[in-house]
Amino acid sequence: MTTAKRKRMPRAEREQQMIAVAEQVFTERGYASASMDEIAELVGVSKPMLYEYFHSKEGLLLACIRQSRAALREVTAQATLGATSAEDALRKGLLAFFVFIRERREAWSLLRQEMALIGTSATNEIEETRRQQTDLITALLNDHLDAGDTVQAEASAEIVVGACERLAIWCERFPEMTPEKATGYAMEVIWTGLSQRAI
């Protein structure tokens, strides 16, 4: 990484720059080893300015996770718009997820480092990410499947989220694994059960 030269820019743009650099440092060093001094230097601002924006290292981490969560929701929600069937919606949503974790490796790394973040507010934020995706999938199931009662739909969504999270971690061991192939593996298992409730 190279140190950025400080230049005047709008607050929102500067904040995004800080988050982008912090995301990279947290991923490379791990949260515990990451230094606010290093992040400030790489951004090209003073450490007090970094604290002015985020108040603490944990506050900066939370900002990174919240931004990643929003980006994940956007891509998965957009992917399912206009789906022609339950199978189509699920396949498109899963593909969007696997593309996201490949193209946004730093963001995904933050979302999966839960064990390293125990004792921080980040664990709640990561669980909120799962909740967000579960809510999205529950809505999808209710729209496209005979989902039965609400509890059944939510249970199915939890299974999809948990299975895909584990599959995504497994995929990291295989650099040649494409999002399309991962989606195919997930659909082969998940859709087998859900297809029985297709309308």
Side-chain angles (χ1 to χ4, degrees):
M1 289 186 287
T2 58
T3 302
K5 287 188 175 181
R6 183 174 176 179
K7 61 180 183 179
R8 290 189 176 276
M9 62 175 63
R11 183 181 176 91
E13 188 177 340
R14 176 68 74 191
E15 184 174 306
Q16 288 303 307
Q17 181 190 33
M18 291 173 175
I19 289 173
V21 170
E23 190 176 85
Q24 188 175 356
V25 173
F26 287 143
T27 299
E28 291 179 0
R29 307 269 189 271
Y31 173 69
S33 299
S35 159
M36 290 290 269
D37 288 298
E38 180 184 11
I39 294 168
E41 182 181 351
L42 291 169
V43 175
V45 300
S46 65
K47 188 163 74 167
M49 178 178 277
L50 206 54
Y51 278 97
E52 179 188 333
Y53 275 66
F54 301 102
H55 309 295
S56 65
K57 185 168 81 167
E58 187 172 325
L60 180 53
L61 174 67
L62 296 180
C64 291
I65 292 174
R66 286 167 185 155
Q67 180 167 285
S68 297
R69 181 170 71 229
L72 177 59
R73 177 172 178 79
E74 177 68 16
V75 298
T76 51
Q78 286 297 316
T80 60
L81 290 178
T84 57
S85 66
E87 183 176 7
D88 185 42
L90 184 60
R91 186 178 299 278
K92 286 178 175 177
L94 293 181
L95 180 59
F97 168 72
F98 287 113
V99 168
F100 176 87
I101 65 172
R102 167 160 285 207
E103 293 181 350
R104 299 280 306 276
R105 290 185 186 276
E106 289 86 1
W108 166 242
S109 178
L110 287 181
L111 293 175
R112 68 177 288 274
Q113 286 186 22
E114 189 168 16
M115 293 308 293
L117 300 173
I118 288 176
T120 73
S121 301
T123 54
N124 292 333
E125 293 292 335
I126 291 170
E127 185 56 33
E128 183 57 32
T129 301
R130 293 191 184 103
R131 179 81 262 160
Q132 164 190 284
Q133 296 305 110
T134 300
D135 290 346
L136 189 65
I137 294 168
T138 299
L140 181 152
L141 295 179
N142 285 326
D143 286 346
H144 293 281
L145 295 178
D146 179 10
D149 61 33
T150 303
V151 173
Q152 184 181 23
E154 288 184 6
S156 298
E158 292 283 357
I159 291 167
V160 173
V161 169
C164 289
E165 185 176 330
R166 290 303 309 167
L167 181 59
I169 292 170
W170 176 83
C171 285
E172 293 174 9
R173 293 161 45 197
F174 302 93
E176 72 280 6
M177 182 65 58
T178 65
E180 290 77 13
K181 184 171 282 190
T183 300
Y185 287 157
M187 286 294 293
E188 186 174 342
V189 174
I190 295 168
W191 182 245
T192 299
L194 292 177
S195 63
Q196 300 175 40
R197 304 209 305 273
I199 297 173

